[in-house]
């Protein structure tokens, strides 16, 4: 992911995606308070700050300490923002602790940063050998190697199937269980070798991507995080406040789409009802009737933008 192998500076940490579109949809008040719930290298935060007056504010959340450090370095001269190391599902607590009662806009750019993928030590990629970790915050939680060691065959298969939509999920899970009886899988190369042994020839590359994605989602409980985040982000928004979300695969986007649909619903009477008695009103106005995609030009410069889908709403 991302075309950037040099991850040593804040500038090359991650190339932000759909920046113009994010800013146009998100920033409605130059003096507002915004949350960038996935700070990463601070690329989107920097773009938002450019649009704000001297009393506009951004709270930047990330659970990865390396992201917090990189963004802090990149935006060190700007007093209008503050980084917070936290899970984005805790956005309500973060905002409250900042003494903010309501936010003007919230942005989430899900998934992993190029920095996380490109650093072998983080264990996210099958392209380079490293410890099988995959935790976005290496300080907490269970590394991928432990999951591979302790889950049974059915649980592993379910992860590869549900989170990676991998057709050979069962076979791969079986091979992992056989292998770990001899030696625990400690390195990305160990897992990659198993996938390559089960999935023949040119199909192996896609399976590698799917298995690594699935494991990453499980390690970081990504889908539960997104569900909790969407609810909490809605709650912290003021009336007319906006949520902008970028997702990168169908599992993420499905949760976003379902949430938007539920909140945009008017009447919730049963379909057989002759007339509306619920009086339910839509809670949001969807701003992106059609999902927003990156231009060919952006995709050429940054291939990771190809899978990005942006959706946004305004709270009623
Ligand atoms: C795609 S990157 C964001 C890049 C950022 N927009 C930029 O401009 O550099 C996603 C970031 O979200 C963080 N992240 C993912 N899940 C998270 C969660 N549940 N809580 C907090 N941060 C999370 C990752 O650590 C990563 O840095």
């Amino acid at each position: 992911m991302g075309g950037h192998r040099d991850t040593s500076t804040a500038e090359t940490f991650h190339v932000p995606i759909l920046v113009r579109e994010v800013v146009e949809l998100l920033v409605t008040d130059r003096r507002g308070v915004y949350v960038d719930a996935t700070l990463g290298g601070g690329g989107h935060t920097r773009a938002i700050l450019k649009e704000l007056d001297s009393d506009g504010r951004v709270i930047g959340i990330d659970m990865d300490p390396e992201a917090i450090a990189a963004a802090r370095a990149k935006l060190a001269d700007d007093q209008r923002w503050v980084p917070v190391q936290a899970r984005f599902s805790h956005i309500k607590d973060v905002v409250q602790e900042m003494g903010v009662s309501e936010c003007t806009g919230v942005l989430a750019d899900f998934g992993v940063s190029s920095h996380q993928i490109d650093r072998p030590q983080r264990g996210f990629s099958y392209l380079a050998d490293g410890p099988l970790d995959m935790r976005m915050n290496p300080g907490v939680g269970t590394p991928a190697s432990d999951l591979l060691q302790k889950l049974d065959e059915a649980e592993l298969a379910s992860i590869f199937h549900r989170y990676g939509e991998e057709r050979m999920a069962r076979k791969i899970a079986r091979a992992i269980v056989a292998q770990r009886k001899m030696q625990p899988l400690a390195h990305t190369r160990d897992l990659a070798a198993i996938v390559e042994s089960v999935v023949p020839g040119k199909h192996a590359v896609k399976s590698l991507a799917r298995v690594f994605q699935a494991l990453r989602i499980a390690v970081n409980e990504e889908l539960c995080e997104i569900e909790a985040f969407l609810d909490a982000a809605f709650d912290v928004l003021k009336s007319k406040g906006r949520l902008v979300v970028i997702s990168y695969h169908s599992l993420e986007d499905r949760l976003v789409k379902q949430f938007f649909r539920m909140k945009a619903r008017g009447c919730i009477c049963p379909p057989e009802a002759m007339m509306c008695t619920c009086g339910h009103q839509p809670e949001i106005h969807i701003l992106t009737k059609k999902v927003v995609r990156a231009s060919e030009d952006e995709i050429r410069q940054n291939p990771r933008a190809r899978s990005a889908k942006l959706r946004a709403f305004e709270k009623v």
Side-chain angles (χ1 to χ4, degrees), residues 13-17 36-45 61-64 67 86-89 107 109-113 116 136 220 222 225 248 304:
F13 194 93
H14 182 89
V15 179
I17 288 171
D36 180 350
T38 49
L39 179 64
H44 282 123
T45 286
I61 300 176
D62 206 293
M63 66 197 279
D64 184 343
R87 285 178 167 259
F88 55 49
S89 56
L107 165 69
D109 175 22
F110 294 135
V112 274
S113 65
Q116 288 166 331
M136 292 195 193
N220 296 289
E222 289 181 33
E225 272 292 302
Y248 292 91
R304 189 169 186 261

Side-chain angles (χ1 to χ4, degrees), residues 190-300:
D190 302 335
L191 177 59
I194 288 180
V195 175
E196 284 161 350
S197 74
V198 171
V199 184
K202 62 179 179 16
H203 299 294
V205 176
K206 284 197 172 156
S207 288
L208 281 167
R210 291 194 285 250
V211 166
F212 273 69
Q213 171 188 292
L215 202 50
R216 184 201 98 198
I217 290 175
V219 165
N220 296 289
E221 299 171 334
E222 289 181 33
L223 302 184
C224 297
E225 272 292 302
I226 290 176
E227 280 186 301
F229 164 77
L230 290 169
D231 272 326
F234 175 83
D235 289 346
V236 301
L237 283 175
K238 61 196 267 188
S239 167
K240 302 273 175 208
R242 291 181 170 199
L243 176 70
V244 177
V245 180
I246 306 175
S247 48
Y248 292 91
H249 57 76
S250 56
L251 300 171
E252 291 171 346
D253 190 50
R254 198 172 304 149
L255 293 179
V256 176
K257 240 181 355 196
Q258 278 168 358
F259 182 80
F260 277 38
R261 204 175 295 144
M262 183 194 52
K263 289 286 185 193
R265 251 182 342 182
C267 170
I268 52 170
C269 291
E272 62 276 11
M274 301 289 282
M275 56 184 282
C276 173
T277 51
C278 70
H280 186 268
Q281 296 293 322
E283 294 175 272
I284 64 169
H285 169 60
I286 296 177
L287 301 168
T288 47
K289 289 287 177 244
K290 260 185 72 187
V291 69
V292 178
R293 311 292 302 250
S295 66
E296 279 306 315
D297 202 32
E298 177 167 6
I299 294 169
R300 217 171 301 120

Side-chain angles (χ1 to χ4, degrees), residues 60-66 68 72 83-87 94 136-140:
I61 300 176
D62 206 293
M63 66 197 279
D64 184 343
E66 290 179 7
I68 297 286
R72 207 191 281 279
V84 180
Q85 192 190 341
R87 285 178 167 259
V94 171
M136 292 195 193
N137 176 358
V140 296

